[in-house]
Amino acid sequence: MANRWAGLAALLAGFFVILLDTTIVAVASPSIQSDLKPDVSGLFWVTAGYLLAFSVPLLVAGRLGDRYDPKRVFLVGMAGFAVASALCGLAPSVGWLVLFRVVQGLAAAAMAPQPLTLIRRLFVADERGRALGAWGSVAAAGALLGPVLGGLLTAVLDWRWIFWVNVPLCGVALLMGLRWIPGSRGRAARLDPLGAVTSTAGLGVLVWALLAWRDIPAPAIAVAVAAALLIVFAFHERRMGAAALAPLGLYRSPGYRAASVAMAALGTAFIAMALPAMLYLQEVRGLGPMEAALVMAPDAVVAAVLSPAAGRWVDRVGPRRPAILGMVLLAASLLLIGLVVVLEVDPWWMALGAAVLGIANAVAWSPLSVAAMASVDAAAAGAASGMFSAVRQVAAVTGVAVTGAVLTGLGSSPTLAFSVVFAVLAVVAIAGVVAATRLPLTSTDGDADGKAAAHEREEDHA
């Protein structure tokens, strides 16, 4: 038992730094601008370069885990992330910083799909809810603590420490992972070069267009090119069968399909609301960075406290009821936050919405992940995890782009702009509720899944 939970701790440390670096840069941007003197575009790509490099290769990374062993790919990615983080802290100019952030994003993409596969290997079916509950808690904490930790490190030390802090975290996690994460010989999974090229190019152009639509002359043409590449990719994948980089046949499973849609809604709402909430609290209501972070802090605190119990509930009753409740609470939290904006009441009332958001995160992450991975065969676990992560991440980037467009278009009326943002995100959450109601009542292949996990562990230790 101790081995499995130590292995999980190593996985969670890696997942934590990935999400931490999604949001930690924003609060340090003024210090970076003062030191390196970038223009607005250069400063934008310090964050956007990371998101682009992180989002695009996820499908390929998932299949690499199938081919070469998810433990090996995860640890190589973590080592690369540590090196890139150290280099970010040493960057002499914004150009070098953007380059090292792209390397960070590529390393994060190598890591991100592997934990779901490895948790499946570490834990039998009736323990996975607890494990994935902890994963959901870390997801909430990583994204929310980024601005808080970034503000503290920048104020007390220097902006470069927002990157250097990753190095000891990754070092400890590497040592734990080498010792406690079970390895395997990998599988005879064929790589799919054409699928890798078309998916990477299609997703790359799409994410680039979403992130930089205000700075490119014809974003609609870029989106059309991305759509064409992804259509070619989809037709190619249908012909590849079991060797496909992204086996689209997985979406024939009601559990995997519903969990993917609901997780896309959860990821979109959770990631896309963070920046608007901080902007509203600071630029409209006049709170300082630390005050704004404290208003939203109940999210991470409540998620951390409740996630273990939520995971045990999933193990006991299956994923459907917890997922529905979590998505309903997600919609409720966004409506509560939106009401504070619309009614212009004391901004500290947003802490109530943040607390409800924390309950939603605690309850929703685990069952959606359990339902998705219980719906696939072990041989396709890496590809399924890569697709699951890619859908969540691209949906989140799309949400960030949409909220940015709303805030830009309605900038002359801030209250209206932020009200529309939270209304749109609430609608996204409601779509997630509908998807969650389509989950199966139980994990349909849970018994077989548990046997497969146990058998894999026996092989790994043989």
Side-chain angles (χ1 to χ4, degrees):
M1 178 67 73
N3 296 11
R4 297 203 294 280
W5 291 102
L8 177 66
L11 295 174
L12 294 181
F15 191 53
F16 177 78
V17 295
I18 288 173
L19 290 178
L20 187 71
D21 273 52
T22 302
T23 57
I24 198 171
V25 172
V27 74
S29 292
S31 296
I32 295 173
Q33 192 165 35
S34 175
D35 187 7
L36 300 183
K37 306 295 191 295
D39 57 19
V40 174
S41 177
L43 193 63
F44 167 79
W45 280 105
V46 173
T47 296
Y50 176 80
L51 289 174
L52 179 64
F54 177 21
S55 304
V56 170
L58 286 168
L59 292 177
V60 177
R63 184 54 89 181
L64 288 175
D66 282 337
R67 175 73 179 255
Y68 296 110
D69 177 22
K71 172 184 177 177
R72 187 176 299 133
V73 176
F74 180 81
L75 294 181
V76 169
M78 187 179 292
F81 195 92
V83 172
S85 296
L87 291 173
C88 284
L90 295 171
S93 69
V94 73
W96 283 106
L97 180 57
V98 171
L99 174 63
F100 296 143
R101 284 285 280 169
V102 168
V103 177
Q104 249 194 338
L106 293 173
M111 295 162 63
Q114 316 312 330
L116 285 180
T117 306
L118 291 167
I119 286 171
R120 176 179 175 137
R121 181 182 294 172
L122 283 163
F123 296 92
V124 296
D126 60 359
E127 294 177 326
R128 285 187 202 135
R130 279 171 286 172
L132 289 166
W135 185 67
S137 176
V138 167
L144 184 68
L145 290 177
V148 178
L149 186 58
L152 285 173
L153 290 172
T154 302
V156 175
L157 297 169
D158 182 77
W159 68 264
R160 297 177 186 272
W161 281 93
I162 69 175
F163 300 111
W164 286 336
V165 72
N166 295 329
V167 178
L169 286 173
C170 289
V172 172
L174 268 172
L175 294 175
M176 294 177 66
L178 285 168
R179 176 67 181 87
W180 297 116
I181 298 174
S184 72
R185 293 180 291 275
R187 301 182 187 275
R190 287 173 53 197
L191 294 180
D192 177 10
L194 180 58
V197 170
T198 53
S199 67
T200 301
L203 287 173
V205 174
L206 176 62
V207 173
W208 171 69
L210 291 171
L211 288 171
W213 62 271
R214 281 168 287 189
D215 301 320
I216 58 180
I221 294 176
V223 171
V225 170
L229 287 166
L230 293 174
I231 289 171
V232 171
F233 169 68
F235 277 105
H236 171 70
E237 293 298 283
R238 290 181 64 182
R239 292 198 301 270
M240 290 296 292
L245 180 69
L248 300 179
L250 291 174
Y251 288 112
R252 296 193 192 101
S253 163
Y256 187 81
R257 184 172 62 246
S260 295
V261 173
M263 181 58 83
L266 177 61
T268 299
F270 180 60
I271 297 298
M273 63 82 61
L275 182 58
M278 288 294 174
L279 289 175
Y280 174 76
L281 288 169
Q282 294 179 64
E283 295 186 359
V284 178
R285 305 307 295 269
L287 300 186
M290 288 306 299
E291 288 178 305
L294 287 173
V295 170
M296 300 306 295
D299 176 15
V301 174
V302 171
V305 171
L306 293 185
S307 285
R312 289 193 294 272
W313 184 33
V314 174
D315 288 335
R316 193 167 61 250
V317 304
R320 187 170 183 267
R321 278 187 284 167
I324 293 171
L325 176 61
M327 297 307 297
V328 168
L329 289 173
L330 176 67
S333 70
L334 293 166
L335 289 171
L336 285 171
I337 292 171
L339 282 174
V340 173
V341 175
V342 172
L343 300 178
E344 298 183 320
V345 297
D346 190 319
W348 285 92
W349 279 104
M350 285 180 72
L352 176 60
V356 176
L357 181 63
I359 302 173
N361 278 315
V363 175
W365 281 88
S366 172
L368 294 177
S369 303
V370 166
M373 298 309 291
S375 302
V376 303
D377 294 328
S385 180
M387 290 170 63
F388 196 64
S389 299
V391 167
R392 181 188 72 239
Q393 188 64 21
V394 173
V397 170
T398 303
V400 170
V402 170
T403 57
V406 172
L407 293 177
T408 300
L410 299 176
S412 60
S413 179
T415 298
L416 176 61
F418 286 103
S419 299
V420 171
V421 162
F422 289 108
V424 168
L425 294 178
V427 170
V428 170
I430 291 169
V433 174
V434 174
T437 63
R438 311 289 294 183
L439 289 170
L441 291 174
T442 59
S443 299
T444 54
D445 57 345
D447 292 339
D449 206 36
K451 291 175 184 176
H455 180 62
E456 283 183 0
R457 286 204 298 271
E458 289 172 4
E459 285 184 342
D460 296 335
H461 292 295

PDB file of all heavy atoms in Angstrom, residues 120-153:
ATOM      1  N   ARG A 120      -3.934   3.743 -13.137  1.00  0.00           N
ATOM      2  CA  ARG A 120      -4.615   2.486 -13.472  1.00  0.00           C
ATOM      3  C   ARG A 120      -3.723   1.295 -13.149  1.00  0.00           C
ATOM      4  O   ARG A 120      -4.195   0.238 -12.726  1.00  0.00           O
ATOM      5  CB  ARG A 120      -4.980   2.517 -14.953  1.00  0.00           C
ATOM      6  CG  ARG A 120      -5.614   1.250 -15.488  1.00  0.00           C
ATOM      7  CD  ARG A 120      -5.944   1.423 -16.966  1.00  0.00           C
ATOM      8  NE  ARG A 120      -6.454   0.182 -17.516  1.00  0.00           N
ATOM      9  CZ  ARG A 120      -7.482   0.090 -18.337  1.00  0.00           C
ATOM     10  NH1 ARG A 120      -8.124   1.175 -18.684  1.00  0.00           N
ATOM     11  NH2 ARG A 120      -7.873  -1.059 -18.804  1.00  0.00           N
ATOM     12  N   ARG A 121      -2.408   1.447 -13.364  1.00  0.00           N
ATOM     13  CA  ARG A 121      -1.473   0.358 -13.072  1.00  0.00           C
ATOM     14  C   ARG A 121      -1.233   0.212 -11.566  1.00  0.00           C
ATOM     15  O   ARG A 121      -1.085  -0.900 -11.057  1.00  0.00           O
ATOM     16  CB  ARG A 121      -0.146   0.636 -13.789  1.00  0.00           C
ATOM     17  CG  ARG A 121       0.906  -0.436 -13.585  1.00  0.00           C
ATOM     18  CD  ARG A 121       2.198  -0.064 -14.295  1.00  0.00           C
ATOM     19  NE  ARG A 121       2.033  -0.045 -15.736  1.00  0.00           N
ATOM     20  CZ  ARG A 121       2.953   0.395 -16.582  1.00  0.00           C
ATOM     21  NH1 ARG A 121       4.106   0.874 -16.109  1.00  0.00           N
ATOM     22  NH2 ARG A 121       2.739   0.367 -17.875  1.00  0.00           N
ATOM     23  N   LEU A 122      -1.187   1.328 -10.857  1.00  0.00           N
ATOM     24  CA  LEU A 122      -0.874   1.295  -9.428  1.00  0.00           C
ATOM     25  C   LEU A 122      -2.030   0.793  -8.572  1.00  0.00           C
ATOM     26  O   LEU A 122      -1.810   0.137  -7.546  1.00  0.00           O
ATOM     27  CB  LEU A 122      -0.486   2.702  -8.953  1.00  0.00           C
ATOM     28  CG  LEU A 122       0.916   3.201  -9.304  1.00  0.00           C
ATOM     29  CD1 LEU A 122       0.996   4.712  -9.150  1.00  0.00           C
ATOM     30  CD2 LEU A 122       1.954   2.530  -8.417  1.00  0.00           C
ATOM     31  N   PHE A 123      -3.277   1.104  -8.968  1.00  0.00           N
ATOM     32  CA  PHE A 123      -4.428   0.865  -8.103  1.00  0.00           C
ATOM     33  C   PHE A 123      -5.455  -0.016  -8.797  1.00  0.00           C
ATOM     34  O   PHE A 123      -5.735   0.165  -9.987  1.00  0.00           O
ATOM     35  CB  PHE A 123      -5.087   2.195  -7.712  1.00  0.00           C
ATOM     36  CG  PHE A 123      -4.208   3.090  -6.897  1.00  0.00           C
ATOM     37  CD1 PHE A 123      -3.402   4.039  -7.523  1.00  0.00           C
ATOM     38  CD2 PHE A 123      -4.174   2.999  -5.521  1.00  0.00           C
ATOM     39  CE1 PHE A 123      -2.584   4.872  -6.792  1.00  0.00           C
ATOM     40  CE2 PHE A 123      -3.352   3.834  -4.769  1.00  0.00           C
ATOM     41  CZ  PHE A 123      -2.558   4.770  -5.403  1.00  0.00           C
ATOM     42  N   VAL A 124      -6.035  -0.931  -8.026  1.00  0.00           N
ATOM     43  CA  VAL A 124      -7.145  -1.728  -8.549  1.00  0.00           C
ATOM     44  C   VAL A 124      -8.383  -0.850  -8.624  1.00  0.00           C
ATOM     45  O   VAL A 124      -8.425   0.255  -8.088  1.00  0.00           O
ATOM     46  CB  VAL A 124      -7.399  -2.966  -7.663  1.00  0.00           C
ATOM     47  CG1 VAL A 124      -6.198  -3.900  -7.697  1.00  0.00           C
ATOM     48  CG2 VAL A 124      -7.717  -2.562  -6.236  1.00  0.00           C
ATOM     49  N   ALA A 125      -9.412  -1.367  -9.304  1.00  0.00           N
ATOM     50  CA  ALA A 125     -10.568  -0.528  -9.662  1.00  0.00           C
ATOM     51  C   ALA A 125     -11.225   0.122  -8.450  1.00  0.00           C
ATOM     52  O   ALA A 125     -11.626   1.287  -8.510  1.00  0.00           O
ATOM     53  CB  ALA A 125     -11.588  -1.365 -10.435  1.00  0.00           C
ATOM     54  N   ASP A 126     -11.351  -0.609  -7.316  1.00  0.00           N
ATOM     55  CA  ASP A 126     -12.089  -0.044  -6.189  1.00  0.00           C
ATOM     56  C   ASP A 126     -11.226   0.872  -5.313  1.00  0.00           C
ATOM     57  O   ASP A 126     -11.654   1.303  -4.250  1.00  0.00           O
ATOM     58  CB  ASP A 126     -12.726  -1.150  -5.345  1.00  0.00           C
ATOM     59  CG  ASP A 126     -11.698  -2.119  -4.774  1.00  0.00           C
ATOM     60  OD1 ASP A 126     -10.495  -1.952  -5.047  1.00  0.00           O
ATOM     61  OD2 ASP A 126     -12.107  -3.064  -4.070  1.00  0.00           O
ATOM     62  N   GLU A 127      -9.989   1.174  -5.750  1.00  0.00           N
ATOM     63  CA  GLU A 127      -9.155   2.157  -5.047  1.00  0.00           C
ATOM     64  C   GLU A 127      -8.920   3.410  -5.890  1.00  0.00           C
ATOM     65  O   GLU A 127      -8.403   4.403  -5.390  1.00  0.00           O
ATOM     66  CB  GLU A 127      -7.778   1.555  -4.726  1.00  0.00           C
ATOM     67  CG  GLU A 127      -7.801   0.423  -3.730  1.00  0.00           C
ATOM     68  CD  GLU A 127      -6.413  -0.166  -3.527  1.00  0.00           C
ATOM     69  OE1 GLU A 127      -5.618  -0.212  -4.496  1.00  0.00           O
ATOM     70  OE2 GLU A 127      -6.114  -0.580  -2.397  1.00  0.00           O
ATOM     71  N   ARG A 128      -9.289   3.358  -7.154  1.00  0.00           N
ATOM     72  CA  ARG A 128      -8.913   4.446  -8.048  1.00  0.00           C
ATOM     73  C   ARG A 128      -9.645   5.739  -7.748  1.00  0.00           C
ATOM     74  O   ARG A 128      -9.142   6.823  -8.039  1.00  0.00           O
ATOM     75  CB  ARG A 128      -9.153   4.038  -9.508  1.00  0.00           C
ATOM     76  CG  ARG A 128      -8.100   3.084  -9.992  1.00  0.00           C
ATOM     77  CD  ARG A 128      -8.208   2.790 -11.465  1.00  0.00           C
ATOM     78  NE  ARG A 128      -7.520   1.518 -11.700  1.00  0.00           N
ATOM     79  CZ  ARG A 128      -7.978   0.540 -12.426  1.00  0.00           C
ATOM     80  NH1 ARG A 128      -9.149   0.655 -13.006  1.00  0.00           N
ATOM     81  NH2 ARG A 128      -7.291  -0.556 -12.579  1.00  0.00           N
ATOM     82  N   GLY A 129     -10.856   5.654  -7.210  1.00  0.00           N
ATOM     83  CA  GLY A 129     -11.573   6.881  -6.881  1.00  0.00           C
ATOM     84  C   GLY A 129     -10.798   7.723  -5.890  1.00  0.00           C
ATOM     85  O   GLY A 129     -10.666   8.948  -6.062  1.00  0.00           O
ATOM     86  N   ARG A 130     -10.237   7.081  -4.856  1.00  0.00           N
ATOM     87  CA  ARG A 130      -9.454   7.835  -3.873  1.00  0.00           C
ATOM     88  C   ARG A 130      -8.210   8.439  -4.510  1.00  0.00           C
ATOM     89  O   ARG A 130      -7.843   9.593  -4.255  1.00  0.00           O
ATOM     90  CB  ARG A 130      -9.054   6.922  -2.715  1.00  0.00           C
ATOM     91  CG  ARG A 130     -10.150   6.716  -1.692  1.00  0.00           C
ATOM     92  CD  ARG A 130      -9.793   5.639  -0.693  1.00  0.00           C
ATOM     93  NE  ARG A 130      -9.882   4.306  -1.299  1.00  0.00           N
ATOM     94  CZ  ARG A 130      -9.485   3.196  -0.702  1.00  0.00           C
ATOM     95  NH1 ARG A 130      -8.955   3.249   0.498  1.00  0.00           N
ATOM     96  NH2 ARG A 130      -9.630   2.033  -1.294  1.00  0.00           N
ATOM     97  N   ALA A 131      -7.526   7.633  -5.344  1.00  0.00           N
ATOM     98  CA  ALA A 131      -6.311   8.126  -5.992  1.00  0.00           C
ATOM     99  C   ALA A 131      -6.621   9.306  -6.899  1.00  0.00           C
ATOM    100  O   ALA A 131      -5.916  10.331  -6.888  1.00  0.00           O
ATOM    101  CB  ALA A 131      -5.658   6.997  -6.785  1.00  0.00           C
ATOM    102  N   LEU A 132      -7.676   9.197  -7.684  1.00  0.00           N
ATOM    103  CA  LEU A 132      -8.026  10.272  -8.603  1.00  0.00           C
ATOM    104  C   LEU A 132      -8.671  11.456  -7.877  1.00  0.00           C
ATOM    105  O   LEU A 132      -8.650  12.582  -8.390  1.00  0.00           O
ATOM    106  CB  LEU A 132      -8.942   9.740  -9.704  1.00  0.00           C
ATOM    107  CG  LEU A 132      -8.214   8.830 -10.700  1.00  0.00           C
ATOM    108  CD1 LEU A 132      -9.201   8.064 -11.558  1.00  0.00           C
ATOM    109  CD2 LEU A 132      -7.273   9.636 -11.570  1.00  0.00           C
ATOM    110  N   GLY A 133      -9.217  11.210  -6.693  1.00  0.00           N
ATOM    111  CA  GLY A 133      -9.662  12.323  -5.868  1.00  0.00           C
ATOM    112  C   GLY A 133      -8.487  13.207  -5.474  1.00  0.00           C
ATOM    113  O   GLY A 133      -8.570  14.440  -5.521  1.00  0.00           O
ATOM    114  N   ALA A 134      -7.374  12.566  -5.089  1.00  0.00           N
ATOM    115  CA  ALA A 134      -6.168  13.338  -4.781  1.00  0.00           C
ATOM    116  C   ALA A 134      -5.666  14.072  -6.019  1.00  0.00           C
ATOM    117  O   ALA A 134      -5.206  15.219  -5.938  1.00  0.00           O
ATOM    118  CB  ALA A 134      -5.084  12.405  -4.238  1.00  0.00           C
ATOM    119  N   TRP A 135      -5.769  13.428  -7.165  1.00  0.00           N
ATOM    120  CA  TRP A 135      -5.358  14.057  -8.427  1.00  0.00           C
ATOM    121  C   TRP A 135      -6.194  15.314  -8.676  1.00  0.00           C
ATOM    122  O   TRP A 135      -5.665  16.360  -9.061  1.00  0.00           O
ATOM    123  CB  TRP A 135      -5.533  13.034  -9.546  1.00  0.00           C
ATOM    124  CG  TRP A 135      -5.050  13.438 -10.896  1.00  0.00           C
ATOM    125  CD1 TRP A 135      -3.759  13.650 -11.278  1.00  0.00           C
ATOM    126  CD2 TRP A 135      -5.849  13.650 -12.059  1.00  0.00           C
ATOM    127  NE1 TRP A 135      -3.708  13.983 -12.611  1.00  0.00           N
ATOM    128  CE2 TRP A 135      -4.973  13.989 -13.122  1.00  0.00           C
ATOM    129  CE3 TRP A 135      -7.214  13.586 -12.325  1.00  0.00           C
ATOM    130  CZ2 TRP A 135      -5.425  14.252 -14.400  1.00  0.00           C
ATOM    131  CZ3 TRP A 135      -7.657  13.846 -13.600  1.00  0.00           C
ATOM    132  CH2 TRP A 135      -6.769  14.183 -14.624  1.00  0.00           C
ATOM    133  N   GLY A 136      -7.508  15.237  -8.452  1.00  0.00           N
ATOM    134  CA  GLY A 136      -8.364  16.401  -8.628  1.00  0.00           C
ATOM    135  C   GLY A 136      -8.030  17.516  -7.656  1.00  0.00           C
ATOM    136  O   GLY A 136      -8.079  18.702  -8.004  1.00  0.00           O
ATOM    137  N   SER A 137      -7.681  17.145  -6.433  1.00  0.00           N
ATOM    138  CA  SER A 137      -7.303  18.149  -5.437  1.00  0.00           C
ATOM    139  C   SER A 137      -6.057  18.908  -5.881  1.00  0.00           C
ATOM    140  O   SER A 137      -5.976  20.131  -5.782  1.00  0.00           O
ATOM    141  CB  SER A 137      -7.051  17.465  -4.095  1.00  0.00           C
ATOM    142  OG  SER A 137      -6.603  18.387  -3.143  1.00  0.00           O
ATOM    143  N   VAL A 138      -5.085  18.167  -6.405  1.00  0.00           N
ATOM    144  CA  VAL A 138      -3.855  18.794  -6.881  1.00  0.00           C
ATOM    145  C   VAL A 138      -4.133  19.659  -8.107  1.00  0.00           C
ATOM    146  O   VAL A 138      -3.535  20.728  -8.282  1.00  0.00           O
ATOM    147  CB  VAL A 138      -2.793  17.712  -7.191  1.00  0.00           C
ATOM    148  CG1 VAL A 138      -1.628  18.290  -7.970  1.00  0.00           C
ATOM    149  CG2 VAL A 138      -2.296  17.099  -5.891  1.00  0.00           C
ATOM    150  N   ALA A 139      -5.064  19.218  -8.963  1.00  0.00           N
ATOM    151  CA  ALA A 139      -5.432  20.028 -10.128  1.00  0.00           C
ATOM    152  C   ALA A 139      -5.962  21.390  -9.692  1.00  0.00           C
ATOM    153  O   ALA A 139      -5.583  22.424 -10.253  1.00  0.00           O
ATOM    154  CB  ALA A 139      -6.490  19.288 -10.955  1.00  0.00           C
ATOM    155  N   ALA A 140      -6.827  21.393  -8.690  1.00  0.00           N
ATOM    156  CA  ALA A 140      -7.373  22.656  -8.203  1.00  0.00           C
ATOM    157  C   ALA A 140      -6.290  23.504  -7.549  1.00  0.00           C
ATOM    158  O   ALA A 140      -6.176  24.710  -7.807  1.00  0.00           O
ATOM    159  CB  ALA A 140      -8.506  22.383  -7.213  1.00  0.00           C
ATOM    160  N   ALA A 141      -5.466  22.875  -6.706  1.00  0.00           N
ATOM    161  CA  ALA A 141      -4.445  23.621  -5.979  1.00  0.00           C
ATOM    162  C   ALA A 141      -3.398  24.199  -6.922  1.00  0.00           C
ATOM    163  O   ALA A 141      -2.982  25.354  -6.780  1.00  0.00           O
ATOM    164  CB  ALA A 141      -3.788  22.721  -4.941  1.00  0.00           C
ATOM    165  N   GLY A 142      -2.969  23.403  -7.917  1.00  0.00           N
ATOM    166  CA  GLY A 142      -1.925  23.870  -8.824  1.00  0.00           C
ATOM    167  C   GLY A 142      -2.339  25.102  -9.596  1.00  0.00           C
ATOM    168  O   GLY A 142      -1.583  26.070  -9.709  1.00  0.00           O
ATOM    169  N   ALA A 143      -3.551  25.077 -10.146  1.00  0.00           N
ATOM    170  CA  ALA A 143      -4.012  26.213 -10.943  1.00  0.00           C
ATOM    171  C   ALA A 143      -4.251  27.448 -10.078  1.00  0.00           C
ATOM    172  O   ALA A 143      -3.957  28.570 -10.485  1.00  0.00           O
ATOM    173  CB  ALA A 143      -5.286  25.842 -11.692  1.00  0.00           C
ATOM    174  N   LEU A 144      -4.788  27.261  -8.862  1.00  0.00           N
ATOM    175  CA  LEU A 144      -5.126  28.407  -8.023  1.00  0.00           C
ATOM    176  C   LEU A 144      -3.912  28.977  -7.310  1.00  0.00           C
ATOM    177  O   LEU A 144      -3.781  30.189  -7.147  1.00  0.00           O
ATOM    178  CB  LEU A 144      -6.181  28.013  -6.994  1.00  0.00           C
ATOM    179  CG  LEU A 144      -6.670  29.168  -6.124  1.00  0.00           C
ATOM    180  CD1 LEU A 144      -7.469  30.159  -6.963  1.00  0.00           C
ATOM    181  CD2 LEU A 144      -7.510  28.678  -4.969  1.00  0.00           C
ATOM    182  N   LEU A 145      -2.978  28.104  -6.885  1.00  0.00           N
ATOM    183  CA  LEU A 145      -1.836  28.582  -6.108  1.00  0.00           C
ATOM    184  C   LEU A 145      -0.795  29.278  -6.971  1.00  0.00           C
ATOM    185  O   LEU A 145       0.101  29.939  -6.439  1.00  0.00           O
ATOM    186  CB  LEU A 145      -1.188  27.419  -5.351  1.00  0.00           C
ATOM    187  CG  LEU A 145      -2.002  26.841  -4.190  1.00  0.00           C
ATOM    188  CD1 LEU A 145      -1.273  25.662  -3.574  1.00  0.00           C
ATOM    189  CD2 LEU A 145      -2.262  27.909  -3.137  1.00  0.00           C
ATOM    190  N   GLY A 146      -0.908  29.136  -8.309  1.00  0.00           N
ATOM    191  CA  GLY A 146       0.048  29.801  -9.180  1.00  0.00           C
ATOM    192  C   GLY A 146       0.159  31.291  -8.905  1.00  0.00           C
ATOM    193  O   GLY A 146       1.265  31.795  -8.623  1.00  0.00           O
ATOM    194  N   PRO A 147      -0.953  32.045  -8.962  1.00  0.00           N
ATOM    195  CA  PRO A 147      -0.848  33.484  -8.694  1.00  0.00           C
ATOM    196  C   PRO A 147      -0.363  33.802  -7.280  1.00  0.00           C
ATOM    197  O   PRO A 147       0.402  34.752  -7.077  1.00  0.00           O
ATOM    198  CB  PRO A 147      -2.284  33.982  -8.907  1.00  0.00           C
ATOM    199  CG  PRO A 147      -2.915  32.973  -9.802  1.00  0.00           C
ATOM    200  CD  PRO A 147      -2.301  31.661  -9.414  1.00  0.00           C
ATOM    201  N   VAL A 148      -0.804  33.016  -6.278  1.00  0.00           N
ATOM    202  CA  VAL A 148      -0.398  33.278  -4.891  1.00  0.00           C
ATOM    203  C   VAL A 148       1.099  33.056  -4.715  1.00  0.00           C
ATOM    204  O   VAL A 148       1.832  33.920  -4.207  1.00  0.00           O
ATOM    205  CB  VAL A 148      -1.191  32.370  -3.927  1.00  0.00           C
ATOM    206  CG1 VAL A 148      -0.746  32.613  -2.490  1.00  0.00           C
ATOM    207  CG2 VAL A 148      -2.687  32.614  -4.070  1.00  0.00           C
ATOM    208  N   LEU A 149       1.574  31.867  -5.150  1.00  0.00           N
ATOM    209  CA  LEU A 149       2.989  31.558  -5.006  1.00  0.00           C
ATOM    210  C   LEU A 149       3.843  32.487  -5.867  1.00  0.00           C
ATOM    211  O   LEU A 149       4.916  32.933  -5.438  1.00  0.00           O
ATOM    212  CB  LEU A 149       3.235  30.098  -5.395  1.00  0.00           C
ATOM    213  CG  LEU A 149       4.641  29.551  -5.171  1.00  0.00           C
ATOM    214  CD1 LEU A 149       5.045  29.673  -3.708  1.00  0.00           C
ATOM    215  CD2 LEU A 149       4.735  28.088  -5.629  1.00  0.00           C
ATOM    216  N   GLY A 150       3.350  32.785  -7.076  1.00  0.00           N
ATOM    217  CA  GLY A 150       4.094  33.706  -7.931  1.00  0.00           C
ATOM    218  C   GLY A 150       4.236  35.075  -7.291  1.00  0.00           C
ATOM    219  O   GLY A 150       5.315  35.692  -7.355  1.00  0.00           O
ATOM    220  N   GLY A 151       3.161  35.564  -6.668  1.00  0.00           N
ATOM    221  CA  GLY A 151       3.234  36.863  -5.998  1.00  0.00           C
ATOM    222  C   GLY A 151       4.207  36.864  -4.840  1.00  0.00           C
ATOM    223  O   GLY A 151       4.996  37.794  -4.673  1.00  0.00           O
ATOM    224  N   LEU A 152       4.175  35.811  -4.036  1.00  0.00           N
ATOM    225  CA  LEU A 152       5.082  35.728  -2.887  1.00  0.00           C
ATOM    226  C   LEU A 152       6.540  35.659  -3.321  1.00  0.00           C
ATOM    227  O   LEU A 152       7.394  36.372  -2.796  1.00  0.00           O
ATOM    228  CB  LEU A 152       4.726  34.501  -2.041  1.00  0.00           C
ATOM    229  CG  LEU A 152       3.465  34.598  -1.181  1.00  0.00           C
ATOM    230  CD1 LEU A 152       3.153  33.255  -0.540  1.00  0.00           C
ATOM    231  CD2 LEU A 152       3.639  35.666  -0.106  1.00  0.00           C
ATOM    232  N   LEU A 153       6.840  34.775  -4.288  1.00  0.00           N
ATOM    233  CA  LEU A 153       8.224  34.616  -4.729  1.00  0.00           C
ATOM    234  C   LEU A 153       8.746  35.883  -5.383  1.00  0.00           C
ATOM    235  O   LEU A 153       9.901  36.271  -5.169  1.00  0.00           O
ATOM    236  CB  LEU A 153       8.325  33.439  -5.708  1.00  0.00           C
ATOM    237  CG  LEU A 153       8.128  32.042  -5.103  1.00  0.00           C
ATOM    238  CD1 LEU A 153       8.057  30.990  -6.193  1.00  0.00           C
ATOM    239  CD2 LEU A 153       9.257  31.711  -4.129  1.00  0.00           C
TER     240      LEU A 153
END
